[in-house]
Amino acid sequence: MDSELHPDGARSHCVVIGGGLAGLSAACALAERGVAVTLIERRNYLGGRAFSFVDPHTGMELDNGQHVFLRCCTEYIDFLKKIGAFEQTTLQQRLRVTVADRSGKRGVLSSTQFLPAPLDVLPSLLLYRHLGFMDRLRVVRGMLSIRRTNRERDRERLESMSFREWLLQHGQNDRTIAALWELITLPILNDTIDAASAYMGIMAFQDSLLAGKGMADLGYSRVGLSTLVTEGARQYIESRGGRLIMGRRVSDLRVTEGRVTGVIVGEETIEADSVISAVPWDGFERLLDGEDSDTPLSAVSPPQLEWAPIVGLHIGYDRPVMDEPFLTVVDSPIQWVFNRSLMQESADANSRLLVSISAAWHEAKMAEDELRKMAETELRPVLPETSNASTTYFRVVKQPQATFRCLPGVQDQRPAQSTNVPGLILAGDWTQTGWPATMESAVRSGKLAAEALAAQSGS
Ligand SMILES: Cc1cc2nc3c(=O)[nH]c(=O)nc-3n(C[C@H](O)[C@H](O)[C@H](O)COP(=O)(O)OP(=O)(O)OC[C@H]3O[C@@H](n4cnc5c(N)ncnc54)[C@H](O)[C@@H]3O)c2cc1C
């Protein structure tokens, strides 16, 4: 038996399965409370779905996809501060996003420091160049309707319709939806406005743009995503007596006398007083596979959620092609373009772009050549300098299982962190946090899981 797998044990011992943001957040919160934590991650790196890797062709550290956060992601920001990583991010002091269209025309969505929230975005909506004047007024009316909506009181109704249906019922039209509403919901919900629930669509505005001054300011990491969290989180956990086991997969939960008392890793059993499962819902389902009907785990049923894909196109040019850190494109499949040369610390004189395509079912099926042609065609009017530049690399990163879909009805399927099984707690962006699949949801779930564990053990 591998002795490395056995903790010394006097303190209460909790195994956390999964080294994504949910697992790291739970492990840090537990370590802080004096619990002996063992975090087990099946891969050799931390970060889960927010990870970076070294591209063998270029030697550069690339993210699996652009990850941004907003100032309203308070738990994610606190987590980064706790592990000493926040300094490696940039957070706008004032919201400003360039919005281009396929003809190259540019507008701006921004907030002004001279007005209180939510009026601070009003001037930019009234001057928004991708809509006619009447449609701009329409959008303002739509924002007011969202602000007036009590989404918890109306939850059942809002969870039974798509956000598009709701917007159409509230005076919006196809043009305002395409040129403004979907521009914002696509990257936040990673789904089309036709499919995402009205509840989540409304949440995406109420908790950011309409939540208070600066709440929609955009932030991003200046280093690779795994680099951002790995050392800080490891040190935070280990310096409090916890440990991380990397590259080992938990295959089963161990149940003794009606409670979860550990996990099985290969041939080994790691005993614990409690277990937090911080893996996605389908991974959790696999942990339960083959449970006999007489164990308490047979009563646990993970939700039936669906995955939505994101496709990222990493493109290098032999010269600068873009001035702003990012922009979004109306009516175009390229959606968001990030200027990684400006955003990352390892910036070089040339231009590195990351085109991020959400809800990318179509693009996930396209071949690299097709994606390359599409990107060249779409980028030309938006960033004319790309026509004169030579492409130095083109790398496609497809993430078919990026986020769970916030379809109507999904909120009621998301389980709370505490379960009916003694010793078993859940975490993960898909558990009940009130947030869509985001880093914020993951970190929140981890913190809630640690609180649920404390409540279960009466401490
Ligand atoms: C391309 C892309 C772009 C995104 N963009 C954004 C964005 O801009 N902003 C934002 O907020 N969010 C974004 N997200 C979503 C965000 O990354 C996720 O919501 C979040 O990282 C989920 O964290 P998690 O810890 O809940 O799950 P995961 O990150 O999936 O972590 C689960 C971990 O458990 C491990 N694991 C699974 N099974 C086992 C097992 N049996 N034993 C041991 N370990 C196991 C996995 O390897 C993984 O490390 C994006 C996601 C992708 C893929």
Side-chain angles (χ1 to χ4, degrees):
M1 188 175 278
D2 182 350
S3 62
E4 187 233 341
L5 297 181
H6 294 274
D8 51 358
R11 294 187 288 163
S12 157
H13 177 225
C14 178
V15 165
V16 176
I17 313 171
L21 289 167
L24 291 173
S25 153
C28 288
L30 291 173
E32 206 173 301
R33 287 167 183 261
V35 175
V37 184
T38 301
L39 183 144
I40 307 172
E41 166 56 49
R42 74 184 155 134
R43 297 191 175 120
N44 286 316
Y45 55 85
L46 296 173
R49 272 172 279 151
F51 74 95
S52 50
F53 60 97
V54 176
D55 178 28
H57 304 296
T58 58
M60 288 185 301
E61 187 178 4
L62 301 180
D63 289 343
N64 66 323
Q66 182 61 51
H67 279 65
V68 299
F69 60 95
L70 306 180
R71 196 181 288 280
C72 60
C73 297
T74 50
E75 295 295 346
Y76 176 65
I77 291 172
D78 282 355
F79 170 71
L80 292 182
K81 286 183 177 165
K82 177 157 55 178
I83 62 168
F86 186 65
E87 293 302 309
Q88 291 174 295
T89 66
T90 295
L91 180 55
Q92 291 181 322
Q93 287 310 306
R94 200 156 61 78
L95 173 71
R96 186 179 174 83
V97 180
T98 301
V99 186
D101 70 9
R102 276 172 144 170
S103 73
K105 185 167 81 181
R106 284 171 183 236
V108 170
L109 277 178
S110 62
S111 67
T112 167
Q113 57 182 330
F114 302 111
L115 289 170
L119 296 177
D120 54 345
V121 288
L122 192 62
S124 101
L125 290 179
L126 290 174
L127 294 170
Y128 188 57
R129 294 187 67 202
H130 301 293
L131 289 174
F133 187 68
M134 293 312 287
D135 279 343
R136 295 177 200 168
L137 292 181
R138 235 179 245 286
V139 166
V140 173
R141 240 177 64 208
M143 291 283 177
L144 288 173
S145 301
I146 289 182
R147 198 169 144 75
R148 277 197 299 265
T149 300
N150 182 334
R151 72 172 192 266
E152 288 314 324
R153 194 196 57 204
D154 296 347
R155 182 179 165 125
E156 202 179 318
R157 192 172 61 83
L158 298 174
E159 269 290 282
S160 68
M161 64 168 78
S162 73
F163 192 35
R164 174 188 283 278
E165 282 177 86
W166 188 91
L167 287 169
L168 291 174
Q169 283 177 9
H170 289 79
Q172 302 307 300
N173 57 26
D174 287 346
R175 186 61 203 148
T176 60
I177 288 173
L180 190 113
W181 298 104
E182 192 156 34
L183 217 57
I184 296 172
T185 54
L186 248 182
I188 297 181
L189 303 181
N190 188 27
D191 216 323
T192 64
I193 213 157
D194 299 330
S197 77
Y199 178 86
M200 265 299 151
I202 287 169
M203 180 272 169
F205 286 90
Q206 283 185 339
D207 285 17
S208 61
L209 213 55
L210 302 174
K213 194 87 179 158
M215 283 301 167
D217 298 345
L218 271 156
Y220 52 85
S221 174
R222 293 195 307 277
V223 296
L225 288 168
S226 294
T227 301
L228 182 69
V229 294
T230 298
E231 271 325 298
R234 177 186 287 282
Q235 214 183 357
Y236 196 90
I237 295 164
E238 288 178 348
S239 66
R240 287 163 179 78
R243 65 201 182 123
L244 286 81
I245 299 175
M246 305 295 296
R248 305 289 301 270
R249 196 175 82 81
V250 172
S251 59
D252 286 291
L253 301 173
R254 176 190 193 240
V255 181
T256 321
E257 292 172 2
R259 67 174 290 128
V260 172
T261 54
V263 296
I264 314 294
V265 181
E267 299 293 302
E268 319 294 337
T269 298
I270 303 181
E271 292 177 15
D273 300 300
S274 54
V275 172
I276 293 181
S277 165
V279 305
W281 72 94
D282 48 1
F284 178 58
E285 195 164 20
R286 280 191 290 278
L287 288 177
L288 301 177
D289 268 357
E291 280 306 321
D292 296 337
S293 56
D294 57 350
T295 84
L297 290 178
S298 61
V300 182
S301 54
Q304 297 302 309
L305 305 179
E306 291 176 35
W307 286 107
I310 294 179
V311 170
L313 311 177
H314 293 263
I315 315 175
Y317 294 96
D318 63 351
R319 69 195 71 179
V321 295
M322 180 172 173
D323 296 327
E324 48 282 274
F326 42 78
L327 56 76
T328 172
V329 193
V330 178
D331 301 327
S332 165
I334 55 176
Q335 298 177 11
W336 281 76
V337 185
F338 295 89
N339 183 349
R340 303 283 292 182
S341 300
L342 273 188
M343 293 166 71
Q344 280 214 296
E345 265 163 17
S346 54
D348 48 48
N350 300 331
S351 227
R352 295 167 48 195
L353 304 188
L354 171 48
V355 172
S356 180
I357 307 171
S358 297
W361 283 277
H362 176 63
E363 289 76 6
K365 290 194 199 118
M366 286 168 71
E368 184 169 320
D369 275 1
E370 291 177 279
L371 287 166
R372 189 175 178 142
K373 269 195 210 105
M374 182 270 281
E376 279 169 8
T377 310
E378 296 291 330
L379 283 169
R380 215 169 287 133
V382 178
L383 300 172
E385 202 47 45
T386 56
S387 318
N388 306 320
S390 300
T391 308
T392 52
Y393 66 85
F394 185 84
R395 173 85 200 255
V396 180
V397 181
K398 294 180 180 174
Q399 298 281 270
Q401 301 189 332
T403 60
F404 68 85
R405 302 188 71 185
C406 285
L407 301 172
V410 155
Q411 294 316 308
D412 288 338
Q413 284 197 52
R414 295 171 73 181
Q417 287 71 33
S418 74
T419 71
N420 291 331
V421 183
L424 177 65
I425 309 284
L426 301 178
D429 60 355
W430 57 281
T431 59
Q432 193 54 260
T433 62
W435 279 69
T438 50
M439 300 186 287
E440 174 71 6
S441 183
V443 169
R444 271 178 192 243
S445 76
K447 198 174 159 195
L448 288 168
E451 284 165 13
L453 181 59
Q456 215 181 64
S457 47
S459 61

